[in-house]
Amino acid sequence: MTDTTLIGATSIDGTSDVTVAPAHGVGLSEAATAKVRSLCEKEVRDDLRLRVAVQPGGCSGLTYQLYFDEHLLDGDATVDFGGVEVVVDKMSVDHLDGTTIDFVDTIEKQGFTIDNPNASGGCACGDSFH
């Protein structure tokens, strides 16, 4: 796999602020990139990457994991989004292909959102999918 990034590519929903990552198929919006960069700067470490993974669990069978990680594992797919490195493990790549991660900050909601076209359903709480 290569560390290729297509800046300014159009996402599935037609927006153009998502960078598509062919190496692992996960896109990161400009808002999400800015928030991750800000959180990394607060940690005062330059070795952190955003790891995106799928783990067994939850009501529907699979849950998302988003966390900072300083380690790279064998088979990890990595893509740089303007200084924010996103890492996906080899077991999660197929589950996350085409996924877009965004960050919303409104009066009603604040946090990262995950739009995964591979999720065929989820639970009522929204924390897991299948």
Side-chain angles (χ1 to χ4, degrees):
M1 292 192 166
T2 62
D3 293 346
T4 306
T5 303
L6 301 176
I7 304 297
T10 303
S11 70
I12 294 168
D13 64 0
T15 61
S16 62
D17 71 337
V18 174
T19 304
V20 178
H24 52 53
V26 174
L28 200 62
S29 72
E30 290 178 11
T33 301
K35 185 61 177 181
V36 171
R37 186 179 297 114
S38 170
L39 292 170
C40 283
E41 288 170 357
K42 287 181 182 178
E43 292 292 324
V44 194
R45 293 181 57 186
D46 61 359
D47 64 337
L48 295 178
R49 301 165 181 89
L50 178 65
R51 182 171 290 278
V52 183
V54 172
Q55 299 291 324
C59 316
S60 295
L62 297 170
T63 61
Y64 296 108
Q65 300 286 313
L66 291 174
Y67 58 94
F68 290 120
D69 195 353
E70 67 272 6
H71 303 289
L72 283 175
L73 305 173
D74 186 39
D76 279 349
T78 65
V79 175
D80 185 87
F81 292 87
V84 172
E85 190 175 5
V86 177
V87 179
V88 178
D89 65 88
K90 63 184 173 185
M91 299 302 288
S92 298
V93 168
D94 289 340
H95 293 292
L96 296 172
D97 187 36
T99 296
T100 301
I101 300 173
D102 194 10
F103 184 79
V104 294
D105 189 2
T106 68
I107 195 165
E108 298 172 343
K109 183 179 181 180
Q110 181 184 45
F112 289 97
T113 61
I114 299 172
D115 180 20
N116 186 347
N118 302 306
S120 59
C123 61
C125 70
D127 289 336
S128 65
F129 70 99
H130 60 272

